[in-house]
Amino acid sequence: MLIFSVFKTLTDHTVTVELKNDLCITGVLKSVDQYLNIRLDAIKVENAEQHPHMMAVKNCFIRGSVIRYVQLPASAMDIQLLEDATRRESGKKI
Amino acid sequence: MSFFGFETSVPRDDKDSKQAYAEEDIAVYTWGDASYDALGSALEETGDDLNDETFGGGPVGKDFDFSGATNAALTNQPNVQPSKPYQSDLAPKTQQNTSSTNDLWKNVDPSSAFSKQVPTEHITNPVHQTSAAQRTAPSVFAQINPSVNPQADYNITNLSSATAALSLDGHNEARPRTMAEIEAEMHAALREQQQQQLISQQRERERMQIEQQLLMQQQQRMMEEEQLRMEMEKRRLYEQQALQDPLWAIRQAMMQENGMSVQGPSDLRPSLSANVSPMTQNRHPMSQIPHQPHPPHNHGAGNQQALVNELLLHHQRQQMLEQQGHPRPNYDISIESQDAMAADARRRMQEAEMMEARHRRRMAKIQSMARYNDIMTQSDKDFITRVQVAQLVTSDPYADDFYAQVYASIRQQRIASENQVLKGAPRQGGQRGPHRRENAIQRMQAHVERIVSHMKSREQSKEASSHNPGLQNVLGKTSGRSYKAAPRQLLQVATASPDSRAHHPVKEHDSVKSLDSHVHHGDLPPPFSPTEGLMIIERLFNNILEIEQLRRNKPLAEDEARMSTWKQSLDELLDTIWQGLRVVGPLYETNPHPFIALIAPMKGKRFIGRLGRDLTDEQKLMTLGVIVNRIEQLDVIRGAAILDSVEDSPARRMFERQAGAFQENVINQGLHLSPSARTLKTYTALIELMIENLSTFSRVVITRPGLTLLEHFFAEASLLKHGLQGPEGEHIAAPAEDVAKWSNLYDRVFEHLLPLWNIMFPSTRILAAFPPNSLEAVQVSVVTDGFDLHVWRFLAGFALEGTLEQHSRLVTQLRAKVMGTLRMAQALEEGKAKARKIRNVDLFLNALGLSSTQILEATPQIPI
Amino acid sequence: MQVSGEIQEPFDLIRLSLSERVMVKLRGDRQLSGVLHAYDGHMNMILSDVEETVMIVDPVPEGVKPSIRVAKRQIEMLYVRGDGVILVSPPQRE
């Protein structure tokens, strides 16, 4: 649930989602769920000319499994906290 | 074509339309009347000769005697057919053919039905016979299969039988009389018909009611199932929505508390309103009819129910309308029979009403019980609230949602502290880190001003004395002596030989050696591999996380028992960490020292930074001691040569980060001493430790991280030396003996540093590679000025503490550097680079009470 | 944790690289170099200061040796979905 937790703190921030089909979508992260499905509002497609079918789309829901990357705002992240959370998540097996 | 009992030919339509008119009069048929139509004469009367041949002359059997047979079977009446030829034959036969309906059906003669339509005399005998038989038992079919034949057909068949009878009779002798007879018979027939219709109606109604009840039961069951399904769906949707949006769940719970009805997930609402309106529309006209309670949440399957309801209501509506006296075609019923019939009908209506009333009462009861069927009860609401709250508040919020929880709390703290800052509230706790730095700088600046003014006054007082003739007008006179005094080479690539070392005991030509990145450690092996080191660090991280979690769960001070256990576990963890740091322990002569190896990775440095409040002063001092002792093993010291490279590279950047992390995290944060431990004595000791091994010291001090460390100790010490400001603003002086020791130390350090100043400047080292005073040199120097900053800074701070004599010696030593820098500044255009050079020099000069402007004005063109 | 020297779980090795620079090989001929700040059991990761290298093979006619282009990209903070990760490796140590 770590990544889910991280995304929860990033709601209402602008992110760029890159899908596995090379579609890059910038938008405001509205909500996320445990499967890391993402809802974006006010989207703008970066390489629009290659994907003209998205011209009329304003908001979208993206299935988590088709995401390759999400570019996050570095200012909204607490790196030390991230690392601590990861250490806890790994169950202290180490 | 005629089908059994189903008249398809044209004249039937006339009869239908006549029925629809609600005529009370019976149509009088005047077949056979010559005046009827002119067609009678158009009939062919000839060609009957061959009839016997065509139809057979023998006696007519009973096979086709349909109505006679059925009549006999049902009413136990012998077939009485007055004055009918062949009738006697029929009677016994009909008696034989009893009951079976199939036989009746088999015996239907299609032609007979057909022939009834034609009101002519041309109808053959057998047909007449059959129709006559049918006449006497006109409603046999009705009685046998009341549900099969619709009412209209009864009329048709009966009427047709009547007409057939007419035609039959028309064939016989007594024609005029039969008309009246026929009429009477027709009346009777119709009366019977009506009675039977009423009965059938009643039966139908009963049936309908039964059906209705069945349907309603079915409906109820369906509704219950629906309700169950709805509840399940709703619960699921609630849970899902709560998962997604806990705020929504909270809002719902709050709304419940406020007494509002719980609203389903928003997508249910439109269907709600859509379904309510048609239902209400249906209800109004049906106020008399008991209506089933329509479930408020109806989509999908609910529409089926709606349809069923509609059908039932329609049926009921029909029945109502019929009951209300939709006029039925009454064909010539006598008044007495009418009364009887009316009474009968009224009775039946009453019965029906009673049944309806009973039915209504039951429905009302059901409805009242089911009124709150689909509305949530308090227990349902509580159930859902419990589920939602359980989602939000887990036993350990830090288990699954650590990042979000802690991030939120940090944000709050940050906002709260920002608000405090804005409001100007006094900062709580000790001033740490950068704040302390700033304050220290401010204090130093003020101190510098004081000292400068003090020295000026001293100078003026000593004007008369000629103690130090050489110091008067020191700057501005270029004496060749200073050059000759130190004719040393600035850079030597070759390793130091013992001779050169003897010749220049203090000048360390083998300083280059330490700049070499791959320094041979020694014969001793490292304590653990880098991987193992990382593992140790990670284990230590686990411990620190446990400590932080423990701190979050700190019990109340009053709860002594729990407090003591809490303290115990905390102490255990701290001890584990201390042991894990391996600062002290069994023979730690490995190279590098385990602790030093542990803080080599960036992760290690950052980890130490978090120990600020977890280590005791004693532990911190021990750690500092280890660091100073093995300072050359530090990765930031060993690899410092890379900082002399002018080129920017990832490795250089990485090293910069490491060096910064060392000073910041390790020294400033992690090993930050509490005020009680921050004494002059402490720092005196530490610096003494540093200069214990002079060669090491020389090597260390020309590296930036090393010099920064020395500067740190020195700054703290000098602050403490000048005394602290007490709580009420009084001046607390340092103990005298400490001060004396400090002065002693200072002098020693001064001596050690004096020959080192020039090579301490990275620019000096770097620019030695270029031809002096060339354009290239100037260009490169612009970059290296940045590298020099820390040296100028330390020089300034150091010089402040010195005596005048020491100042003069410093000046002598650094004249070349200062003049060279200023010369280059003169060569440059006005701009940042020039300003930086001048600024750097001023750092030092101001500490001595001098200024670069003096020099620049005095010598517009500084000679080489 | 097991005593050092014994075999650890693969995730333990990744844990050692927390806060360190790692090289991640992804599907689709992609490679990332970044500082690892967070990971989970699916190998979803959050990296900072990332450099993405994509190997692009231009389609060429038969007989011609295909040329490989390299496209690089710098991203400040990046979430990588685990199902695209092939391997995680620490960069060359000194």
Side-chain angles (χ1 to χ4, degrees):
Chain A
M1 302 296 275
L2 202 206
I3 308 286
F4 175 43
S5 190
V6 173
F7 276 126
K8 274 202 283 191
T9 69
L10 291 176
T11 52
D12 291 330
H13 284 84
T14 304
V15 298
T16 299
V17 181
E18 181 173 325
L19 305 182
K20 293 191 165 122
N21 65 354
D22 290 337
L23 181 61
C24 281
I25 305 174
T26 305
V28 178
L29 180 69
K30 276 323 236 180
S31 70
V32 67
D33 69 4
Q34 51 169 331
Y35 304 109
L36 306 182
N37 300 325
I38 283 177
R39 257 204 333 111
L40 289 180
D41 272 10
I43 65 170
K44 176 187 166 311
V45 178
E46 296 303 325
N47 34 7
E49 62 281 0
Q50 297 165 18
H51 306 277
H53 57 276
M54 298 285 286
M55 254 198 268
V57 180
K58 295 277 175 293
N59 314 322
C60 68
F61 170 93
I62 304 178
R63 195 183 204 271
S65 63
V66 306
I67 294 172
R68 186 189 284 137
Y69 306 134
V70 178
Q71 298 178 31
L72 311 166
S75 53
M77 319 277 296
D78 184 339
I79 288 177
Q80 186 181 301
L81 190 57
L82 262 181
E83 293 175 10
D84 285 351
T86 307
R87 292 190 174 103
R88 286 177 72 107
E89 179 105 344
S90 69
K92 300 188 179 171
K93 334 184 225 74
I94 199 173
Chain B
M1 298 313 291
S2 73
F3 188 69
F4 300 137
F6 185 67
E7 261 52 39
T8 54
S9 43
V10 170
R12 190 172 74 88
D13 294 323
D14 292 339
K15 287 170 202 161
D16 273 348
S17 54
K18 278 180 187 155
Q19 280 178 15
Y21 291 159
E23 271 174 280
E24 291 294 321
D25 305 325
I26 298 167
V28 176
Y29 299 102
T30 55
W31 297 295
D33 197 350
S35 62
Y36 181 67
D37 55 36
L39 291 171
S41 52
L43 286 171
E44 263 192 53
E45 298 290 333
T46 57
D48 287 336
D49 307 329
L50 299 168
N51 274 354
D52 283 337
E53 261 191 56
T54 310
F55 298 106
V60 176
K62 289 275 178 15
D63 295 334
F64 48 85
D65 182 16
F66 313 108
S67 57
T70 51
N71 192 31
L74 287 172
T75 58
N76 280 340
Q77 287 169 12
N79 262 345
V80 175
Q81 300 289 342
S83 66
K84 291 288 186 328
Y86 308 120
Q87 277 301 339
S88 53
D89 290 335
L90 286 174
K93 279 196 185 152
T94 55
Q95 282 173 2
Q96 285 172 23
N97 296 343
T98 53
S99 53
S100 98
T101 319
N102 287 338
D103 291 346
L104 296 171
W105 280 119
K106 265 191 275 168
N107 290 335
V108 170
D109 182 5
S111 56
S112 67
F114 178 75
S115 58
K116 288 174 210 154
Q117 310 297 330
V118 183
T120 59
E121 298 169 347
H122 218 61
I123 296 166
T124 53
N125 277 338
V127 174
H128 295 161
Q129 285 178 13
T130 55
S131 39
Q134 282 180 352
R135 190 174 20 106
T136 57
S139 58
V140 161
F141 292 125
Q143 287 194 351
I144 294 172
N145 286 323
S147 59
V148 173
N149 296 329
Q151 295 169 358
D153 284 337
Y154 293 140
N155 292 335
I156 295 161
T157 45
N158 292 328
L159 274 172
S160 55
S161 65
T163 55
L166 256 177
S167 55
L168 253 178
D169 290 337
H171 216 27
N172 300 328
E173 287 95 67
R175 200 188 282 196
R177 214 153 39 90
T178 53
M179 279 296 294
E181 254 182 59
I182 288 165
E183 282 184 10
E185 281 167 5
M186 277 185 65
H187 281 301
L190 281 161
R191 217 186 319 131
E192 279 194 53
Q193 242 182 62
Q194 273 215 324
Q195 281 183 5
Q196 274 136 23
Q197 273 172 21
L198 277 170
I199 296 170
S200 66
Q201 264 182 46
Q202 198 190 29
R203 286 218 188 83
E204 214 194 294
R205 221 177 296 127
E206 288 170 14
R207 222 185 324 113
M208 288 302 302
Q209 283 170 2
I210 296 167
E211 261 182 74
Q212 215 181 53
Q213 285 168 23
L214 282 169
L215 269 166
M216 267 165 32
Q217 285 174 18
Q218 255 185 22
Q219 250 192 24
Q220 287 234 316
R221 254 178 277 130
M222 277 176 68
M223 270 159 43
E224 284 168 24
E225 281 178 55
E226 262 285 310
Q227 284 162 21
L228 275 170
R229 239 181 295 142
M230 284 308 307
E231 277 184 35
M232 292 287 295
E233 252 190 62
K234 243 197 171 172
R235 281 195 199 121
R236 241 188 305 120
L237 280 162
Y238 265 123
E239 287 173 32
Q240 275 186 17
Q241 200 120 358
L243 265 175
Q244 278 186 28
D245 188 4
L247 281 178
W248 177 84
I250 298 172
R251 243 183 284 131
Q252 292 293 316
M254 279 171 51
M255 275 163 55
Q256 281 179 40
E257 285 177 17
N258 293 343
M260 282 171 64
S261 67
V262 175
Q263 296 173 2
S266 48
D267 49 41
L268 274 180
R269 267 187 249 124
S271 62
L272 256 178
S273 51
N275 271 328
V276 164
S277 35
M279 286 306 167
T280 48
Q281 281 170 21
N282 282 341
R283 281 188 201 181
H284 294 311
M286 296 300 137
S287 50
Q288 298 176 30
I289 301 170
H291 52 270
Q292 293 85 18
H294 301 293
H297 312 293
N298 252 342
H299 32 183
N303 288 334
Q304 289 177 15
Q305 280 186 25
L307 282 170
V308 168
N309 286 345
E310 292 262 17
L311 280 170
L312 274 175
L313 289 170
H314 182 68
H315 248 302
Q316 284 175 347
R317 227 181 291 144
Q318 274 189 344
Q319 286 187 357
M320 286 276 299
L321 287 171
E322 284 165 349
Q323 275 183 10
Q324 279 161 13
H326 175 73
R328 198 117 290 196
N330 278 337
Y331 303 101
D332 193 26
I333 300 176
S334 63
I335 295 189
E336 311 90 39
S337 52
Q338 253 185 355
D339 285 339
M341 277 179 62
D344 203 18
R346 245 178 279 128
R347 197 176 7 99
R348 287 206 200 91
M349 275 179 65
Q350 279 172 7
E351 284 176 19
E353 275 179 28
M354 270 171 56
M355 289 217 47
E356 288 232 17
R358 224 178 296 155
H359 181 70
R360 234 177 281 138
R361 252 178 283 135
R362 218 179 41 241
M363 288 312 300
K365 218 182 291 176
I366 293 172
Q367 197 193 1
S368 69
M369 290 196 305
R371 193 169 309 187
Y372 301 110
N373 241 3
D374 301 297
I375 298 171
M376 296 183 82
T377 64
Q378 195 54 41
S379 64
D380 289 335
K381 292 180 196 169
D382 288 339
F383 172 76
I384 290 188
T385 310
R386 247 183 304 129
V387 168
Q388 292 168 354
V389 167
Q391 290 284 332
L392 296 171
V393 179
T394 50
S395 58
D396 178 19
Y398 293 113
D400 259 350
D401 209 19
F402 178 76
Y403 183 85
Q405 299 281 339
V406 180
Y407 188 80
S409 66
I410 289 177
R411 287 273 302 281
Q412 279 178 8
Q413 285 175 18
R414 212 183 302 157
I415 291 167
S417 68
E418 276 173 20
N419 289 342
Q420 274 188 353
V421 167
L422 285 170
K423 290 170 194 167
R427 226 174 271 114
Q428 296 196 355
Q431 293 165 347
R432 293 184 148 235
H435 302 303
R436 203 172 59 81
R437 271 258 109 103
E438 286 161 8
N439 280 357
I441 290 168
Q442 284 165 17
R443 260 185 272 162
M444 270 185 92
Q445 280 178 0
H447 194 62
V448 164
E449 282 174 20
R450 252 185 288 142
I451 289 174
V452 164
S453 57
H454 177 68
M455 283 191 62
K456 273 190 183 156
S457 63
R458 270 180 66 189
E459 261 202 314
Q460 280 166 11
S461 68
K462 283 180 182 177
E463 232 179 8
S465 70
S466 53
H467 282 184
N468 307 309
L471 272 178
Q472 287 179 9
N473 295 327
V474 158
L475 291 175
K477 264 190 191 170
T478 61
S479 63
R481 187 73 192 118
S482 62
Y483 297 150
K484 289 166 196 165
R488 72 185 173 284
Q489 279 169 316
L490 297 174
L491 204 66
Q492 241 188 16
V493 180
T495 54
S497 59
D499 298 342
S500 65
R501 205 195 276 258
H503 199 263
H504 305 286
V506 193
K507 293 148 201 166
E508 291 282 55
H509 297 297
D510 58 356
S511 60
V512 178
K513 198 162 87 166
S514 68
L515 300 177
D516 194 9
S517 48
H518 296 293
V519 178
H520 173 59
H521 274 295
D523 298 319
L524 300 162
F528 36 73
S529 70
T531 313
E532 287 165 353
L534 284 177
M535 294 205 305
I536 295 167
I537 293 170
E538 284 294 334
R539 260 182 268 152
L540 290 173
F541 262 112
N542 281 341
N543 293 332
I544 196 82
L545 285 178
E546 274 179 49
I547 287 183
E548 282 180 5
Q549 187 61 28
L550 208 62
R551 283 220 169 91
R552 266 184 230 122
N553 301 339
K554 184 169 180 176
L556 300 166
E558 297 89 47
D559 191 348
E560 286 192 14
R562 218 177 290 170
M563 192 64 165
S564 63
T565 41
W566 180 85
K567 246 201 145 300
Q568 207 178 342
S569 32
L570 184 66
D571 288 336
E572 275 173 26
L573 278 169
L574 289 171
D575 194 47
T576 314
I577 289 182
W578 176 246
Q579 296 298 327
L581 282 176
R582 296 160 166 75
V583 174
V584 289
L587 218 61
Y588 269 153
E589 285 306 321
T590 54
N591 194 343
H593 186 278
F595 175 73
I596 306 287
L598 276 182
I599 63 171
M602 187 66 118
K603 230 193 292 194
K605 295 187 178 80
R606 293 226 188 94
F607 175 73
I608 303 292
R610 292 172 72 158
L611 290 179
R613 60 173 173 166
D614 294 317
L615 295 173
T616 66
D617 282 329
E618 193 191 337
Q619 290 169 333
K620 288 179 187 171
L621 283 172
M622 271 194 271
T623 314
L624 280 169
V626 168
I627 287 176
V628 172
N629 212 349
R630 319 288 175 111
I631 196 164
E632 276 205 294
Q633 297 172 350
L634 277 173
D635 62 312
V636 292
I637 302 292
R638 275 188 290 119
I642 200 170
L643 289 176
D644 278 350
S645 148
V646 192
E647 295 159 22
D648 191 21
S649 66
R652 191 180 197 284
R653 264 180 278 142
M654 190 61 198
F655 191 85
E656 289 263 10
R657 277 203 291 264
Q658 291 270 24
F662 172 74
Q663 186 60 36
E664 186 56 37
N665 292 2
V666 180
I667 304 297
N668 291 353
Q669 290 176 8
L671 302 179
H672 182 261
L673 296 168
S674 65
S676 60
R678 244 187 291 144
T679 61
L680 189 55
K681 207 189 257 180
T682 312
Y683 291 107
T684 314
L686 280 169
I687 296 176
E688 274 185 2
L689 200 55
M690 272 188 96
I691 64 172
E692 225 175 42
N693 186 332
L694 282 177
S695 57
T696 312
F697 180 67
S698 319
R699 282 194 295 271
V700 163
V701 118
I702 58 176
T703 66
R704 197 178 83 192
L707 189 60
T708 313
L709 185 64
L710 179 62
E711 185 183 3
H712 170 84
F713 292 151
F714 190 85
E716 297 273 357
S718 56
L719 269 174
L720 289 163
K721 179 200 153 207
H722 291 287
L724 301 163
Q725 205 173 35
E728 275 112 49
E730 78 275 14
H731 184 261
I732 304 172
E737 56 178 38
D738 291 343
V739 176
K741 271 198 184 158
W742 163 253
S743 304
N744 213 343
L745 180 64
Y746 179 86
D747 294 333
R748 279 165 58 203
V749 173
F750 183 89
E751 297 303 323
H752 292 316
L753 284 178
L754 202 56
L756 295 174
W757 286 117
N758 280 315
I759 54 163
M760 254 194 262
F761 288 97
S763 58
T764 317
R765 299 198 290 266
I766 295 165
L767 291 172
F770 298 90
N773 304 316
S774 63
L775 197 60
E776 290 173 311
V778 178
Q779 281 173 346
V780 171
S781 74
V782 173
V783 179
T784 60
D785 282 341
F787 304 166
D788 284 347
L789 181 59
H790 72 280
V791 184
W792 288 115
R793 204 175 54 212
F794 174 65
L795 187 52
F798 190 75
L800 270 177
E801 299 298 317
T803 61
L804 272 172
E805 185 239 335
Q806 286 165 329
H807 284 181
S808 72
R809 288 167 70 194
L810 266 179
V811 166
T812 314
Q813 194 73 333
L814 285 160
R815 168 176 282 122
K817 182 68 187 172
V818 169
M819 300 308 276
T821 312
L822 288 174
R823 194 190 320 119
M824 279 197 270
Q826 281 178 335
L828 285 172
E829 302 280 321
E830 282 300 327
K832 273 201 244 173
K834 178 168 182 162
R836 188 154 68 164
K837 283 187 193 288
I838 298 174
R839 213 177 28 238
N840 286 349
V841 174
D842 267 336
L843 268 177
F844 168 55
L845 292 176
N846 290 346
L848 300 176
L850 307 163
S851 159
S852 60
T853 46
Q854 295 170 339
I855 304 168
L856 287 171
E857 283 164 9
T859 48
Q861 189 72 20
I862 297 172
I864 293 173
Chain C
M1 173 172 150
Q2 296 99 328
V3 176
S4 58
E6 290 178 14
I7 301 165
Q8 293 105 32
E9 285 184 19
F11 276 113
D12 292 345
L13 294 178
I14 296 186
R15 170 123 180 222
L16 295 188
S17 307
L18 252 190
S19 228
E20 306 284 331
R21 188 157 275 272
V22 293
M23 190 276 284
V24 183
K25 192 155 140 63
L26 299 175
R27 296 176 67 156
D29 302 316
R30 286 159 198 266
Q31 209 167 298
L32 297 175
S33 165
V35 180
L36 179 67
H37 293 299
Y39 67 90
D40 69 2
H42 299 106
M43 302 276 274
N44 297 327
M45 293 187 284
I46 296 183
L47 309 164
S48 75
D49 200 14
V50 180
E51 189 191 54
E52 182 205 26
T53 307
V54 188
M55 312 277 185
I56 307 171
V57 181
D58 297 318
V60 283
E62 284 254 350
V64 181
K65 191 155 172 257
S67 60
I68 299 179
R69 265 191 305 131
V70 162
K72 290 206 184 217
R73 208 161 45 137
Q74 302 278 352
I75 303 159
E76 231 185 358
M77 184 73 69
L78 190 72
Y79 156 77
V80 183
R81 193 169 165 92
D83 56 14
V85 173
I86 295 176
L87 62 87
V88 177
S89 145
Q92 288 76 21
R93 289 194 195 276
E94 301 146 38

